Amino acid sequence: MKVAIFNHPISDFYTSNMRLYSNNLNYLKNIIGTDFDIRVYDVIKSLRREIPLPKDLHYLADYILHDISKYGFFNKYYRFGDYANFNHKDFKTHNPDFIIITSFAYCYFDDLKNMIKYLKQLSHSPIIIGGGGPSSNPEYYIENTDCDYVITGPAEISLKKLLTSLSQKESLSEIKNLYSKDIVSDSDFNMPYTIKPFINIKSKKKINIQLTRGCPGSCSYCSIKLTAGNIMVKSGIDDVTDELLKIKDKVADNVCIDIEDDNILFDKDYFRNVITHIKSIFPVSSLCFENGIDYNLLDDETVSFLVKNNISQWNISLTSLDMKMLKNEKDRVTSLEKFENVFYKLKETGKLIIVYYIAGLKNDTKENIIETLCYLSKKKALIGFSPYYSVPGTKESTGNTDKPVFCKGTSLFPHNNITVNELYTFFILTRFVNYMNDNQADKSNDEAYIMSVRNREIYGYSAGKIVKYPVNNEIVKSFFKKINM
């Protein structure tokens, strides 16, 4: 029996390397194994083109100024990949019995739906979908697309069983985590399964690696449990070594290895073992954790260990200054004192520190967000802004998810109490603070920046002219007052 595995285009203002990660197609191929004749079709590759802003996001039109300032909003909307961006002749010759499409997130539902529609015009074979998006709301995908089956949770648990049962015309009643128009099976994401490490070569100087699945944390806004359960499953050390050896000749000796597991410190023995093996293969490499690393678990010994092994920067998350709110959200929070202690330990290392915060959680207020931003601005760290977006199935989900496009962080949709304009204002102010604290940037001739500081307003450039940004003046005035500018 023959199988075709696809990803699908995504539409957004920008994307991250992990969203364009195509090696997961080959990973799915390896899960299925050699019992099937499998071909993979990466429709994203390096293709990108500008597209009109979706009608549902018309409320953002006034914020797209096409400016050239260092702190402006996004000014172009893109489609990464294309539905027809694959070898049709090869697909027709292959003539698959089953088609699999993996989908990264619920917010890209419309792109997946169009991919399914396109493939249905080329083939009558059953289409199976899975990944983070379908796992979050499988019934929605069954009801609103032409797919035949949805597999939720880790593909290792059910994908090969489904293909085997379909090909042999066996009953599907014993398959976990399966949905169709006629089937809603039992869900269990914590069944025993093994994983291999994901490794993506971003360039000769940078690779991304993901080693674990699942998370024992309980943050109410996090969707990891919807895709991988709450038990941490780890790649075997020998597998990590084998995969790194396979790419050793494809990257530079001093490659930066970005470990994407933000929960890896839950098992410090495993963590140290992984790093030790990485450095045995790439002794002059550097390390980073761009998806974040839990500051609550960064003790003196761990910080020293990472410095010794050439960590290049620190990526941590404060989320918010409102500790009471975070405890209600079951965020992995301890205390502001703990954050302060860790932050100054990291500061002593002399490495870049990037701190992320979230705006717009349930019970969040603009006053609290201002306090958080001003607090971080005085730390002189690089600040990452994360507007809250609702994901179906999470405890934090607001129910405003009928239109998946609203569930993109870049859509600045007001899921709770913070308005679109307020979210936009915090987005701009965060980037403004980073520019303000950038000692390498020559701001002496930046008239828009100078006017912003002098007038306590935010100015940028558009069509060669200085323009005032459509920000919330009350928030901006309060911000400048609190940082004493």
Side-chain angles (χ1 to χ4, degrees):
M1 303 292 277
K2 291 175 286 187
V3 177
I5 304 177
F6 284 84
N7 51 16
H8 64 80
I10 61 174
S11 304
D12 212 328
F13 285 106
Y14 84 105
T15 191
S16 67
N17 192 56
M18 290 303 289
R19 294 176 191 174
L20 300 181
Y21 185 63
S22 61
N23 282 1
N24 58 346
L25 301 177
N26 288 315
Y27 188 90
L28 289 172
K29 178 180 178 179
N30 291 333
I31 288 175
I32 298 168
T34 57
D35 293 339
F36 294 84
D37 179 5
I38 307 169
R39 296 188 189 179
V40 301
Y41 300 93
D42 177 9
V43 305
I44 296 179
K45 296 178 183 174
S46 57
L47 185 63
R48 183 186 77 166
R49 65 184 178 91
E50 186 178 353
I51 61 173
L53 187 71
K55 291 181 181 179
D56 286 329
L57 300 184
H58 70 278
Y59 57 85
L60 294 177
D62 291 340
Y63 302 127
I64 300 175
L65 302 178
H66 299 282
D67 66 279
I68 58 170
S69 76
K70 301 294 184 181
Y71 42 82
F73 189 59
F74 305 111
N75 53 38
K76 290 182 180 179
Y77 207 78
Y78 297 100
R79 175 164 295 131
F80 300 90
D82 189 83
Y83 311 108
N85 186 33
F86 64 94
N87 188 327
H88 288 60
K89 183 178 179 180
D90 182 79
F91 177 77
K92 185 177 181 180
T93 300
H94 184 50
N95 191 23
D97 299 288
F98 307 105
I99 297 171
I100 296 170
I101 310 175
T102 180
S103 187
F104 175 76
Y106 176 73
C107 63
Y108 300 123
F109 168 85
D110 293 326
D111 297 304
L112 171 62
K113 180 177 180 178
N114 289 331
M115 187 79 223
I116 294 170
K117 183 177 179 180
Y118 185 82
L119 290 175
K120 282 288 187 181
Q121 296 172 353
L122 303 179
S123 171
H124 297 295
S125 298
I127 292 181
I128 303 164
I129 63 173
S135 292
S136 69
N137 198 359
E139 293 93 341
Y140 185 87
Y141 283 78
I142 288 294
E143 293 171 3
N144 294 283
T145 74
D146 292 327
C147 77
D148 297 279
Y149 300 96
V150 173
I151 285 182
T152 59
E156 291 89 346
I157 293 175
S158 305
L159 179 56
K160 185 173 182 180
K161 289 181 181 179
L162 174 61
L163 289 171
T164 300
S165 296
L166 288 172
S167 63
Q168 297 178 4
K169 297 182 170 34
E170 296 175 345
S171 170
L172 307 181
S173 61
E174 299 300 317
I175 299 177
K176 301 286 188 182
N177 312 325
L178 177 63
Y179 292 76
S180 72
K181 286 184 167 43
D182 304 312
I183 300 170
V184 178
S185 71
D186 294 334
S187 292
D188 186 354
F189 297 171
N190 294 324
M191 295 174 65
Y193 66 96
T194 59
I195 64 170
K196 301 282 188 180
F198 278 159
I199 296 182
N200 181 51
I201 301 176
K202 188 174 182 180
S203 69
K204 291 186 74 68
K205 292 280 190 151
K206 183 76 171 286
I207 66 173
N208 307 98
I209 180 169
Q210 186 173 2
L211 306 170
T212 69
R213 300 264 199 88
C215 181
S218 56
C219 302
S220 62
Y221 49 81
C222 181
S223 61
I224 288 179
K225 288 184 179 62
L226 303 177
T227 59
N230 55 13
I231 294 177
M232 186 175 171
V233 180
K234 293 161 284 193
S235 302
I237 296 297
D238 289 343
D239 289 330
V240 175
T241 300
D242 289 344
E243 292 301 315
L244 288 173
L245 287 172
K246 288 177 184 177
I247 66 166
K248 184 171 174 59
D249 294 334
K250 299 178 182 178
V251 298
D253 291 339
N254 62 342
V255 64
C256 178
I257 299 174
D258 172 25
I259 299 176
E260 290 284 318
D261 308 85
D262 63 351
N263 60 352
I264 195 168
L265 285 181
F266 275 118
D267 188 334
K268 288 187 179 177
D269 289 338
Y270 175 76
F271 166 76
R272 293 174 70 91
N273 202 359
V274 164
I275 300 301
T276 299
H277 278 74
I278 287 174
K279 298 301 284 190
S280 71
I281 299 169
F282 294 100
V284 296
S285 64
S286 60
L287 303 171
C288 66
F289 300 82
E290 292 186 356
N291 201 38
I293 193 166
D294 190 345
Y295 77 84
N296 295 291
L297 302 174
L298 280 173
D299 53 32
D300 289 349
E301 183 180 1
T302 304
V303 171
S304 297
F305 176 77
L306 284 169
V307 171
K308 179 182 177 181
N309 285 285
N310 197 23
I311 189 167
S312 61
Q313 65 184 47
W314 302 99
N315 296 67
I316 59 177
S317 175
L318 175 63
T319 307
S320 171
L321 276 190
D322 190 336
M323 296 293 137
K324 182 179 179 180
M325 179 185 73
L326 294 185
K327 287 177 181 177
N328 290 335
E329 310 297 340
K330 301 190 184 305
D331 186 275
R332 290 181 290 191
V333 64
T334 49
S335 67
L336 188 58
E337 181 182 8
K338 170 67 175 177
F339 176 82
E340 290 265 351
N341 290 337
V342 171
F343 182 85
Y344 286 113
K345 287 175 189 173
L346 303 186
K347 198 80 171 176
E348 290 172 0
T349 68
K351 307 292 184 180
L352 171 68
I353 305 174
I354 304 174
V355 184
Y356 303 91
Y357 76 100
I358 299 176
L361 289 165
K362 192 181 298 181
N363 301 318
D364 209 350
T365 65
K366 61 184 178 183
E367 291 77 18
N368 171 59
I369 301 171
I370 293 171
E371 291 290 342
T372 302
L373 177 57
C374 291
Y375 169 81
L376 291 175
S377 73
K378 294 173 183 178
K379 296 295 182 189
K380 306 296 183 182
L382 192 64
I383 307 172
F385 173 69
S386 300
Y388 169 72
Y389 54 91
S390 184
V391 178
T394 61
K395 294 178 181 178
E396 181 77 10
S397 180
T398 60
N400 294 325
T401 56
D402 288 344
K403 289 194 174 183
V405 68
F406 293 153
C407 297
K408 298 178 184 179
T410 56
S411 295
L412 303 184
F413 187 79
H415 290 283
N416 292 305
N417 302 318
I418 310 302
T419 68
V420 173
N421 183 250
E422 289 166 349
L423 287 170
Y424 166 79
T425 300
F426 288 120
F427 179 102
I428 296 297
L429 282 177
T430 301
R431 298 192 69 179
F432 184 84
V433 167
N434 288 336
Y435 183 55
M436 178 180 70
N437 288 338
D438 184 358
N439 294 326
Q440 304 300 315
D442 181 9
K443 299 180 277 287
S444 60
N445 295 315
D446 191 333
E447 295 182 37
Y449 172 78
I450 294 169
M451 285 180 61
S452 298
V453 174
R454 183 178 64 231
N455 297 341
R456 294 191 171 191
E457 296 180 333
I458 302 294
Y459 296 89
Y461 301 96
S462 182
K465 298 179 181 179
I466 295 177
V467 297
K468 183 177 179 297
Y469 282 3
V471 292
N472 182 293
N473 290 325
E474 177 188 354
I475 290 175
V476 172
K477 297 290 185 186
S478 177
F479 164 78
F480 278 115
K481 182 178 180 181
K482 287 181 180 295
I483 64 171
N484 297 316
M485 281 190 76

